[in-house]
C-alpha cells in the first residue's frame, strides 16, 4: 500500500492566478498600475526579460510548494549569480524618461518586498475566488486585525467592518491594502453576523471613503486613492482579475486575427472565468464566440459574441442541464447551428444544434449599438425542435401569402 503523504497543498485558485500572469518588464513600479497587476507580472527595474522570467518562475515554484521567503531566497541567490544579476548593477530606463539607476536585486529587503507583495496578492485572489463560490452559505466578510507587530492606525480603523461579500467596499479595501500589509478578512455565516452585530462592537455600514489625489510620475495621470490605502493597492486582486480578463481580452480579441481570437476565447470559456464572473455583482460581458457568418448577416459592429454574467447566472439557475462549462458550446452552435425563423425581428437569430446527442437552443440579440450577445441559451429536446420547425413553416407560409 502506498504510504500516506502529508504536507501543505496550495489551493489551485492561487497557483492559477499567478501562473496566468504575463510578463511585463518595467523600470518603475508606476509603469504597471492598479488593476493591471491582476494579469501582468512585473518587478521594478527588472527590464531584462530573462531576469523577470527568473523572478516569476521562482515565485511560482514557491507558491506551488507553499515555501516561505527564506527558502525562496536561498534558492534564488545562486540563480541570480548565474545570470549575472547578483549585487549592484546599473539599469537603464528603456523609455529614456528617467536617468539610469544602480540596483541590487540581491538585497534582502528588496527581495522580501518582491516576494511577499506577489504571494499575498495571489493568496488574496485565490481567497476571493473561494469566497464567490461559497457566498450563498457564507454571505458576509469581516475585516480582521492585522498580524503585524506594528499595525498602521489607518488599517486598524477598518477592523470590525462586517459587510456583504458583494458590497462595493471590498472592491477597494480587500486586503492586502499596501506594501507589507498583513490584514485579512474572514468569511462568516448570517448566524455569526447577527450574533456579532448584536454586541454593538462592529461596523455594519460601509464607512465614508475619503480619497486623496496621487500623481503617477511616469504617466502624469492623476488618480484618487482611498485614505489608508497605498497608491496602486486600492484594488481587489480577485475581482480585478475578472474585470481585466474581460476588458483587456475583449480589446485584444478585436485586434487579433480570426484564428487567434477563436483560440483565446476557447481558453477563456474552458477556464474558471465563466463561473467566477457569474458571482460578481456588477455587469460584465464575457466573450464566448466569434460571430462568423452573423457578422454580416446581422450587420454587427463587432465580431465578438458576449454573454453577460447576469444572463449566464440566470440560465444556470433556471435550466437543469446548463452550467458554466456549457458556454463552451456557443461557438459550435454559431458555426454550424440550424437557423430557425421565430419571427422575432432582424435584431434576433435563433439557432438550434445537436451536440453529442443533446439538442441546444441559442438566441443571439443585436443591441442598439449593434453588438451581439447571448439572449437565450438552453438545452432542449427533439419534440421542441419539431415544434420550432413547424412554427417556422407556418411563419414562412404567412410571409409568402403576404407577399
Amino acid at each position: 500500500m502506498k504510504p500516506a503523504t502529508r504536507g501543505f497543498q496550495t489551493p489551485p485558485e492561487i497557483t492559477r492566478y499567478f501562473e496566468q500572469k504575463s510578463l511585463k518588464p518595467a523600470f518603475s513600479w508606476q509603469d504597471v498600475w492598479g488593476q493591471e497587476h491582476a494579469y501582468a507580472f512585473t518587478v521594478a527595474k527588472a527590464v531584462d526579460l530573462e531576469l523577470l522570467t527568473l523572478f516569476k518562475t521562482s515565485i511560482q515554484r514557491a507558491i506551488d510548494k507553499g515555501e516561505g521567503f527564506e527558502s525562496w531566497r536561498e534558492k534564488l541567490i545562486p540563480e541570480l549569480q548565474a545570470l549575472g544579476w547578483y549585487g549592484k548593477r546599473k539599469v537603464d530606463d528603456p523609455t529614456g524618461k528617467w536617468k539610469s539607476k544602480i540596483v541590487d536585486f540581491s538585497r534582502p529587503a528588496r527581495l522580501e518586498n518582491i516576494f511577499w507583495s506577489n504571494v499575498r496578492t495571489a493568496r488574496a485572489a485565490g481567497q476571493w475566488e473561494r469566497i464567490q463560490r461559497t457566498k450563498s452559505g457564507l454571505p458576509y466578510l469581516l475585516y480582521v486585525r492585522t498580524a503585524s507587530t506594528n499595525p498602521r492606525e489607518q488599517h486598524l480603523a477598518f477592523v470590525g467592518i462586517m459587510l456583504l461579500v458583494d458590497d462595493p467596499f471590498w472592491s477597494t479595501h480587500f486586503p492586502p491594502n499596501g506594501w507589507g500589509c498583513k490584514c485579512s478578512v474572514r468569511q462568516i455565516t448570517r448566524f455569526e453576523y447577527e450574533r456579532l452585530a448584536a454586541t454593538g462592537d462592529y461596523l455594519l455600514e460601509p464607512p465614508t471613503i475619503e480619497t486623496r489625489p496621487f500623481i503617477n510620475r511616469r504617466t502624469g495621470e492623476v488618480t484618487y486613492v482611498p485614505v489608508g490605502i497605498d497608491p496602486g493597492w486600492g484594488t481587489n486582486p480577485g475581482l480585478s482579475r475578472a474585470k481585466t480578463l474581460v476588458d483587456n481580452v475583449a480589446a485584444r480579441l478585436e485586434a487579433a486575427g480570426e484564428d487567434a481570437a477563436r483560440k483565446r476565447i476557447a481558453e477563456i470559456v474552458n477556464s474558471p472565468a465563466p463561473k467566477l464572473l457569474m458571482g460578481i455583482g456588477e455587469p460584465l460581458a464575457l466573450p464566448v464566440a466569434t460571430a462568423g457568418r452573423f457578422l454580416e448577416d446581422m450587420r454587427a459592429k463587432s465580431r465578438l459574441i458576449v454573454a453577460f454574467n447576469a444572463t449566464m447566472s440566470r440560465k444556470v439557475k433556471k435550466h437543469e442541464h446548463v452550467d458554466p462549462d456549457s458556454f463552451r458550446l456557443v461557438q459550435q452552435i454559431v458555426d454550424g447551428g440550424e437557423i430557425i425563423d421565430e419571427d422575432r425581428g432582424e435584431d434576433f437569430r435563433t439557432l438550434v444544434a445537436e451536440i453529442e446527442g443533446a439538442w441546444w437552443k441559442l438566441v443571439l440579440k443585436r443591441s442598439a449599438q449593434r453588438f451581439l450577445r447571448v439572449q437565450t441559451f438552453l438545452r432542449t429536446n427533439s419534440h421542441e425542435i419539431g415544434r420550432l420547425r413547424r412554427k417556422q413553416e407556418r411563419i414562412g407560409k404567412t410571409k409568402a401569402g403576404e407577399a
Side-chain angles (χ1 to χ4, degrees):
M1 181 182 293
K2 187 177 180 180
T5 58
R6 292 186 178 183
F8 174 77
Q9 184 68 40
T10 305
E13 312 91 81
I14 298 176
T15 60
R16 184 169 55 242
Y17 168 85
F18 192 79
E19 185 180 50
Q20 292 177 348
K21 285 191 172 189
S22 60
L23 298 172
K24 185 162 184 178
F27 188 76
S28 168
W29 64 273
Q30 296 178 55
D31 287 335
V32 181
W33 187 250
Q35 293 185 0
E36 193 175 2
H37 282 282
Y39 64 91
F41 174 79
T42 189
V43 172
K45 306 298 185 294
V47 297
D48 179 85
L49 189 58
E50 193 173 21
L51 173 63
L52 189 62
T53 300
L54 171 59
F55 275 119
K56 185 174 188 294
T57 55
S58 64
I59 294 175
Q60 181 76 62
R61 184 174 61 221
I63 289 175
D64 292 347
K65 296 181 178 180
E67 294 179 342
F69 168 70
E70 291 299 337
S71 175
W72 170 75
R73 178 175 174 271
E74 182 179 349
K75 295 175 182 177
L76 179 71
I77 292 301
E79 294 178 303
L80 284 174
Q81 292 172 332
L83 276 184
W85 281 98
Y86 185 86
K88 295 181 179 180
R89 279 192 54 173
K90 186 178 79 168
V91 177
D92 298 324
D93 180 0
T95 69
K97 294 179 180 179
W98 289 359
K99 295 180 180 179
S100 301
K101 296 284 185 179
I102 301 298
V103 182
D104 184 354
F105 285 110
S106 60
R107 190 164 57 90
R110 179 181 286 272
L111 289 178
E112 192 167 4
N113 186 44
I114 292 170
F115 180 81
W116 284 118
S117 61
N118 282 284
V119 169
R120 286 178 180 140
T121 52
R123 289 176 179 173
Q127 182 184 17
W128 183 256
E129 186 171 332
R130 295 193 300 275
I131 286 169
Q132 290 297 323
R133 287 203 307 268
T134 58
K135 66 181 180 181
S136 60
L138 299 162
Y140 291 91
L141 293 180
L142 168 64
Y143 200 106
V144 180
R145 189 185 191 282
T146 176
S148 176
T149 54
N150 296 302
R152 301 174 219 197
E153 290 297 325
Q154 291 171 319
H155 288 194
L156 289 177
F158 304 145
V159 175
I161 292 176
M162 286 196 304
L163 302 169
L164 286 167
V165 165
D166 290 324
D167 191 283
F169 176 79
W170 303 117
S171 66
T172 54
H173 288 70
F174 191 87
N177 288 318
W179 303 101
C181 174
K182 298 178 182 179
C183 294
S184 62
V185 297
R186 186 162 64 86
Q187 194 175 9
I188 60 176
T189 63
R190 184 175 299 277
F191 174 79
E192 185 174 2
Y193 169 85
E194 292 174 350
R195 180 176 62 81
L196 295 175
T199 67
D201 297 329
Y202 294 84
L203 301 176
L204 310 182
E205 296 291 336
T208 300
I209 299 176
E210 298 180 5
T211 61
R212 68 187 191 281
F214 176 81
I215 300 175
N216 186 316
R217 293 186 298 140
R218 295 288 282 179
T219 65
E221 180 183 4
V222 178
T223 56
Y224 288 85
V225 181
V227 173
I229 308 294
D230 289 353
W233 287 84
T235 64
N236 176 326
L239 182 58
S240 294
R241 177 63 177 172
K243 287 180 178 178
T244 53
L245 175 67
V246 172
D247 296 342
N248 291 281
V249 166
R252 291 175 183 176
L253 290 179
E254 283 291 355
E258 179 71 17
D259 291 342
R262 283 176 174 254
K263 182 179 179 181
R264 184 69 183 108
I265 288 174
E267 292 174 356
I268 293 170
V269 296
N270 283 286
S271 76
K275 187 174 182 179
L276 179 60
L277 290 180
M278 282 168 47
I280 294 175
E282 61 185 281
L284 293 173
L286 182 72
V288 292
T290 60
R293 53 183 168 157
F294 295 102
L295 180 61
E296 292 186 9
D297 176 53
M298 298 184 72
R299 302 195 305 278
K301 188 175 183 179
S302 166
R303 65 177 166 183
L304 298 184
I305 297 175
V306 304
F308 280 92
N309 54 340
T311 300
M312 297 170 73
S313 181
R314 284 197 303 271
K315 302 310 175 187
V316 169
K317 290 177 181 178
K318 183 177 180 180
H319 302 292
E320 179 183 358
H321 298 292
V322 177
D323 58 36
D325 291 337
S326 301
F327 285 84
R328 63 185 172 81
L329 303 176
V330 172
Q331 187 70 70
Q332 287 180 253
I333 301 171
V334 169
D335 289 341
E338 175 187 351
I339 301 176
I340 298 289
D341 184 2
E342 290 192 282
D343 202 22
R344 289 174 175 245
E346 63 177 11
D347 290 335
F348 295 87
R349 292 293 183 276
T350 298
L351 302 167
V352 296
E354 187 178 15
I355 301 174
E356 298 178 357
W359 282 98
W360 294 86
K361 177 181 178 181
L362 171 71
V363 177
L364 302 178
K365 180 178 180 180
R366 182 184 64 185
S367 70
Q369 292 76 34
R370 294 189 290 122
F371 292 101
L372 301 182
R373 63 179 175 86
V374 173
Q375 171 82 1
T376 298
F377 181 54
L378 56 88
R379 183 170 164 178
T380 184
N381 54 57
S382 57
H383 296 293
E384 176 63 14
I385 297 300
R387 187 192 69 80
L388 288 172
R389 286 171 175 164
R390 290 191 295 273
K391 178 182 178 181
Q392 176 179 239
E393 186 177 351
R394 291 195 301 270
I395 292 171
K397 290 180 179 179
T398 300
K399 289 182 177 178
E402 292 175 351

